DNA sequence: GCCGGAACGT
DNA sequence: ACGTTCCGGC
């Protein structure tokens, strides 16, 4: 059957071009056939994941959530990460369209969603009909395997690592960044994403950089406290969720997932994802407020064309963000969690995958579940398995279901992935803190000056006792390190003296 | 509505 | 691996 599954729905125009095809390819982007649409390959799931090029339901859900036109069908609602399927039938229909499954219905779709429970991508919001909640730490990971994170063990190590990792964090340096994003040209002056951001002067540079690595400055990796445990979430801002999730998501997943997509239905070939501009205006308040009006409005080189009605999500109207934000974002107030011992053994089994580079060093605390545990990198299970066997691998005992009731990310951070032994892989030479940049004040206070964890609880110690300032959080945005590197150096000197 | 087992398809 | 389909049970 050759159904026309594309349903141009969700074909979000990726964003006008800062990328040229050449640039994209240098960065390891994937090109979508003759259409010339490029996406960074990290926008896909890890290669180790078979079928990674195929749209997954949660991708699709996020896409829908991102699109304003589907707000009446599905939308963010309630807590952080929570969304409501307002029109189950319609969502199912759209999903069926996408997957060329004409008989799709909500019952089936919801079954697929339920499979995400075990993977901790989603969980159900009990008592609320058609309401689910994303576990963004997982979602983000899948989209941002962060490449060779194993060799860049400096990000947020202590926030989501389940306490087993070394307390050290390396400062973000250009070198570290390079190792993080090896595909970025090292010194292609003026051409690389890196340089673009690195050379951006002053506060504007920060903005750009922040946006360059949205996954570092937003979403899961950044919150230091489980959304549900956070203080009152700004429910009532100009828009509910001010910042876009992943500029690549919609484009990447929707455009490439259906091979039958008629070439003509795609965006003009000059549209390429533009990490620099995509969601600037979709940043949470602290971020978006930094944007100069011109930038927010999408000035500059952005072509006027191509934005399918959504006006880039920023100009004029409120952006319909995809991922709900956690404005507080990350705190570098690392806490020394020397004890990883409390982490469940089961989780350890699931996620600790020695020898796999991908997840190791994921100090970001991004879940490994999908990237490693869930996907079974390393191919432990080599052959074919019976369904029951397969299931057994995921859920080893019925009781384990309890951990699936994740209602906040602290659970995630503690009961699963972060547990992998980063420590041994992360030989941080010396520095044990992430430099705080992008803040007017300059560097992060030395570790010793950070408030000690008050709660003896290993999990709670992961959480800062006081919410981060409303201003730009201690972003991990690597790019920040670039710009203020000199400042850091100065600060370090002071600290050392 | 929601859950999760089972078989099956890709 | 990631669903899809079906289904019994709550």
């Amino acid at each position: 059957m050759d159904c026309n599954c594309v349903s141009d729905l969700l074909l979000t125009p990726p964003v006008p071009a800062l990328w040229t095809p050449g640039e994209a390819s240098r960065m390891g982007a994937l090109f979508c056939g003759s259409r010339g649409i490029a996406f960074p390959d990290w926008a896909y799931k890890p290669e180790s994941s078979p079928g990674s090029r195929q749209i997954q339901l949660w991708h699709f859900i996020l896409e829908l959530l991102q699109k304003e036109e589907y707000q009446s069908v599905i939308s963010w609602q309630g807590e952080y990460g929570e969304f409501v399927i307002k029109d189950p039938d319609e969502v199912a229909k759209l999903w069926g369209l996408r997957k060329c499954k004409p008989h799709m219905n909500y019952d089936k779709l919801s079954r697929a969603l339920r499979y995400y429970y075990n993977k901790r991508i989603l969980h159900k919001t009990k008592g609320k009909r058609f309401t689910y909640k994303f576990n963004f730490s997982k979602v983000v990971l899948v989209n941002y395997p962060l490449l060779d994170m194993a060799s860049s063990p400096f990000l947020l190590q202590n926030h989501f690592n389940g306490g087993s990792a070394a307390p050290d964090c390396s400062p973000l340096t250009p070198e570290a960044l390079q190792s993080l994003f090896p595909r970025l040209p090292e010194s292609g002056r003026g051409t690389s994403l890196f340089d673009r951001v690195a050379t951006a002067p002053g506060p504007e540079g920060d903005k750009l950089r922040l946006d360059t690595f949205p996954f570092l400055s937003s979403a899961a990796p950044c919150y230091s406290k489980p959304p549900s445990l956070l203080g009152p979430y700004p429910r009532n801002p100009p828009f509910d969720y001010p910042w876009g999730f992943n500029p690549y998501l919609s484009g990447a997943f929707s455009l490439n997932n259906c091979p039958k997509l008629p070439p003509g239905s795609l965006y003009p070939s000059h549209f390429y994802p533009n990490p620099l501009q995509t969601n600037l205006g979709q940043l949470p308040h602290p971020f978006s407020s930094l944007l100069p009006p011109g930038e927010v409005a999408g000035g500059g080189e952005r072509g006027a064309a191509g934005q399918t009605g959504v006006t880039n999500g920023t100009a004029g109207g409120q952006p319909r963000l995809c991922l709900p934000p956690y404005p507080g974002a990350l705190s570098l107030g690392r806490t020394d969690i020397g004890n990883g011992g409390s982490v469940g053994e089961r989780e350890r089994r699931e996620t600790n995958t020695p020898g796999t580079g991908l997840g190791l060093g994921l100090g970001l605390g991004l879940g490994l579940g999908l990237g490693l545990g869930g996907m079974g990198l390393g191919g432990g299970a080599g052959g074919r398995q019976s369904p029951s066997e397969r299931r057994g691998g995921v859920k080893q005992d019925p009781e384990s279901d309890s951990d699936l009731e994740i209602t906040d990310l602290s659970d995630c951070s503690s009961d699963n992935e972060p547990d992998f032994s980063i420590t041994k892989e992360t030989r941080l030479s010396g520095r044990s803190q992430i430099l705080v940049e992008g803040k007017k004040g300059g560097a992060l206070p030395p570790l010793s000056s950070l408030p000690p964890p008050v709660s003896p609880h290993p999990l709670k110690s992961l959480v800062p006792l006081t919410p981060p300032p409303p201003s730009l959080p201690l972003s991990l945005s690597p790019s920040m390190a670039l710009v203020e590197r000199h400042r850091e150096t100065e600060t370090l000197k002071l600290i050392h003296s």
Side-chain angles (χ1 to χ4, degrees), chain A residues 109-308:
Chain A
L109 182 146
S110 66
R111 182 69 191 96
L113 289 176
R114 287 196 293 276
Y115 274 125
Y116 289 142
Y117 298 172
N118 274 343
K119 294 170 184 161
R120 295 178 174 76
I121 291 173
L122 277 184
H123 64 266
K124 185 75 179 67
T125 299
K126 293 199 167 116
K128 295 185 188 175
R129 293 173 61 196
F130 309 121
T131 302
Y132 300 82
K133 193 170 171 183
F134 272 106
N135 172 356
F136 286 129
S137 69
K138 286 286 167 48
V139 171
V140 171
L141 174 66
V142 172
N143 283 289
Y144 305 100
L146 293 181
L147 309 176
D148 295 339
M149 283 300 283
S151 58
S152 305
F154 47 83
L155 295 174
L156 268 185
Q157 267 201 337
N158 304 286
H159 289 275
F160 289 88
N161 61 15
S164 63
D168 300 82
C169 289
S170 295
L172 284 169
T173 65
E175 292 73 23
L177 287 175
Q178 194 64 44
S179 70
L180 225 191
F181 303 97
R183 293 190 178 95
L184 296 176
E186 266 175 294
S187 56
R189 290 292 160 212
T191 60
S192 75
L193 183 61
F194 242 179
D195 284 322
R196 192 185 293 280
V197 298
T199 56
E204 286 172 8
D206 285 351
K207 291 164 217 156
L208 288 174
R209 279 175 264 120
L210 189 67
D211 191 56
T212 300
F213 305 100
F215 48 97
L216 292 180
S217 60
S218 63
C222 287
Y223 33 61
S224 49
K225 191 171 182 180
S228 61
L229 298 180
L230 293 173
Y233 180 79
R235 294 288 171 82
N236 195 13
F239 32 70
D240 288 337
Y241 303 100
W243 116 69
F245 166 48
N246 172 355
Y248 309 106
L249 241 186
S250 56
F253 291 110
S254 55
L255 289 177
N256 292 283
N257 291 319
C258 188
K260 297 164 188 156
L261 191 64
S265 68
L266 293 170
Y267 312 118
S269 59
H270 61 278
F271 285 143
Y272 299 98
N274 173 4
L276 295 181
Q277 290 185 337
T278 304
N279 59 355
L280 280 177
Q282 299 176 344
L283 295 170
H285 302 299
F287 306 126
S288 57
S289 63
L290 294 173
L291 299 174
E295 300 246 353
V296 174
E301 53 195 289
R302 172 174 303 134
Q307 297 298 334
T308 62

Side-chain angles (χ1 to χ4, degrees), chain A residues 46 57 204 364 463:
Chain A
L57 178 53
E204 286 172 8
L364 281 175
V463 173

Side-chain angles (χ1 to χ4, degrees), chain A residues 66 75 192 225 242 286 328 340 349 354 389 455:
Chain A
Q66 192 180 20
S75 69
S192 75
K225 191 171 182 180
R349 285 195 304 273
E389 287 170 329
S455 168

Side-chain angles (χ1 to χ4, degrees), chain A residues 72-100:
Chain A
S72 60
V73 172
I74 183 173
S75 69
W76 297 111
Q77 203 162 99
E79 293 181 25
Y80 179 85
E82 201 171 279
F83 65 93
V84 177
I85 299 176
K86 297 172 178 173
D87 187 343
D89 291 336
E90 183 63 19
V91 171
K93 190 177 119 193
L94 293 170
W95 176 235
L97 222 62
R98 174 65 69 86
K99 293 293 293 289
C100 305

Side-chain angles (χ1 to χ4, degrees), chain A residues 33-74:
Chain A
S34 60
R35 297 190 291 274
I37 306 263
F39 302 99
D41 47 7
W42 51 261
Y44 296 87
K45 294 198 298 181
E47 300 136 8
S48 52
S49 170
S52 60
R53 300 289 162 76
Q54 273 205 316
I55 183 84
Q56 286 180 247
L57 178 53
W58 66 267
H59 295 156
F60 180 81
I61 295 292
L62 283 175
E63 284 185 16
L64 285 179
L65 286 166
Q66 192 180 20
K67 303 289 283 182
E68 193 153 0
E69 53 264 49
Y70 297 103
Q71 198 152 19
S72 60
V73 172
I74 183 173

